């Protein structure tokens, strides 16, 4: 068992939220690399064999450039919020074809008091949304097992923050999962306590989550004609 993150990881992110400016970050960049980026990269490397048991087509890539870790820098070109850095660190465990076609992913999120693990399609384009909705309509029994099985729903929640006001056109109102067709994102996630993130059994806990999320991601891959 290995400990990856520590209280220093959360301390850095909380301080970054209070001092979100380039001069401060540059002065504390060594703390970011030591307490956030490096342990996250180590976790990703250790999760690779666990992820392989879920699917051979997904990658937990620890390299600094072009890997699973998102940049800590924010893209502020079109944002009202011009603060230069995120106050969290995220990582995407991606499908091997994700740079070629739309694909679901697994996701890990490190943020004081708001850590979570999840999977799915986040902000997919309209054409991708349509494909998933039609697939759910055509395959409701499999959707029931993938997204609404009792054990799955006890562990994970479906993201409902962004939904259509009304169901999309072309689907009968008495369809069993008509509300699911209103989703703009097809994401399932669960919160992870800070104590678990800094504890010695983090990898084991996340490995179980990846396994449990597998059927949900498998379904989304099938909707998009992707290997799983």
């Amino acid at each position: 068992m290995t400990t990856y993150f520590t209280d220093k990881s959360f301390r850095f992110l909380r301080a970054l939220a209070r001092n979100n400016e380039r001069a401060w970050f540059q002065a504390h960049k060594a703390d970011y690399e030591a307490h956030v980026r490096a342990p996250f990269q180590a976790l990703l490397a250790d999760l690779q064999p666990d992820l392989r048991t879920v699917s051979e087509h997904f990658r937990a890539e620890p390299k600094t450039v072009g890997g699973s870790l998102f940049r800590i820098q924010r893209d502020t070109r079109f944002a009202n919020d011009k603060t230069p850095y995120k106050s969290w660190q995220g990582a995407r465990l991606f499908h091997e074809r994700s740079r070629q076609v739309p694909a679901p992913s697994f996701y890990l999120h490190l943020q004081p008091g708001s850590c979570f693990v999840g999977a799915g399609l986040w902000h997919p384009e309209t054409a991708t949304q349509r494909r998933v909705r039609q697939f759910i309509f055509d395959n409701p029994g499999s959707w029931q097992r993938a997204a609404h099985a009792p054990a799955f729903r006890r562990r994970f929640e479906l993201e409902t923050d962004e939904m259509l006001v009304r169901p999309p056109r072309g689907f009968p109102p008495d369809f069993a999962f008509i509300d699911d067709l209103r989703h703009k994102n097809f994401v399932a996630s669960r919160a992870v306590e800070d104590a678990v993130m800094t504890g010695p059994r983090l990898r084991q806990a996340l490995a179980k989550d990846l396994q449990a999320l597998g059927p949900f991601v498998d379904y989304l891959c099938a909707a998009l004609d992707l290997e799983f």
Side-chain angles (χ1 to χ4, degrees):
M1 292 187 292
T2 302
T3 297
Y4 300 93
F5 305 110
T6 68
D7 289 340
K8 292 181 180 179
S9 308
F10 291 129
R11 196 177 306 152
F12 172 83
L13 292 172
R14 283 193 291 265
L16 177 58
R18 295 192 302 270
N19 304 276
N20 201 324
E21 54 189 29
R22 290 181 176 84
W24 185 93
F25 184 84
Q26 289 302 318
H28 297 83
K29 189 174 181 180
D31 291 332
Y32 166 68
E33 293 175 348
H35 303 306
V36 177
R37 188 168 71 180
F40 219 138
Q41 289 173 309
L43 174 62
L44 290 166
D46 288 348
L47 282 174
Q48 287 190 64
D50 300 314
L51 183 59
R52 198 173 300 121
T53 67
V54 179
S55 169
E56 295 183 355
H57 299 284
F58 282 81
R59 305 286 181 261
E61 177 54 67
K63 64 183 180 182
T64 302
V65 178
S68 289
L69 277 184
F70 285 100
R71 288 164 51 87
I72 193 74
Q73 292 84 2
R74 295 180 63 253
D75 185 349
T76 62
R77 290 174 297 172
F78 306 106
N80 292 327
D81 181 357
K82 298 300 182 182
T83 52
Y85 301 100
K86 304 165 188 170
S87 56
W88 65 87
Q89 180 72 73
R92 181 175 62 99
L93 284 58
F94 54 87
H95 193 279
E96 62 190 3
R97 295 180 59 200
S98 63
R99 290 180 174 84
Q100 304 163 0
V101 295
S105 61
F106 299 88
Y107 179 76
L108 308 177
H109 189 87
L110 178 72
Q111 184 177 11
S114 300
C115 301
F116 68 90
V117 56
L121 288 161
W122 177 253
H123 287 176
E125 294 183 355
T126 301
T128 303
Q129 292 173 343
R130 290 193 187 116
R131 289 181 69 182
V132 174
R133 288 170 183 151
Q134 187 63 51
F135 196 80
I136 292 172
F137 181 73
D138 292 339
N139 301 274
S142 299
W143 178 246
Q144 165 71 38
R145 292 188 292 274
H148 290 280
F152 183 83
R153 294 306 302 272
R154 284 195 295 269
R155 192 179 187 97
F156 302 105
E157 293 185 359
L158 295 180
E159 192 273 327
T160 58
D161 289 344
E162 298 180 76
M163 297 182 69
L164 299 174
V165 176
R166 287 178 289 275
R169 294 179 181 178
F171 299 98
D174 60 347
F175 177 57
F177 301 109
I178 192 67
D179 280 342
D180 289 351
L181 302 187
R182 295 170 51 217
H183 288 212
K184 295 183 179 181
N185 304 305
F186 299 94
V187 172
S189 66
R190 79 168 184 91
V192 180
E193 294 181 359
D194 289 1
V196 174
M197 293 296 287
T198 58
R201 299 190 64 84
L202 175 61
R203 175 191 168 184
Q204 288 80 357
L206 293 178
K208 291 180 180 178
D209 288 324
L210 296 178
Q211 286 285 351
L213 286 163
F216 180 73
V217 176
D218 187 3
Y219 187 93
L220 295 175
C221 283
L224 300 175
D225 293 323
L226 288 167
E227 307 88 348
F228 183 78

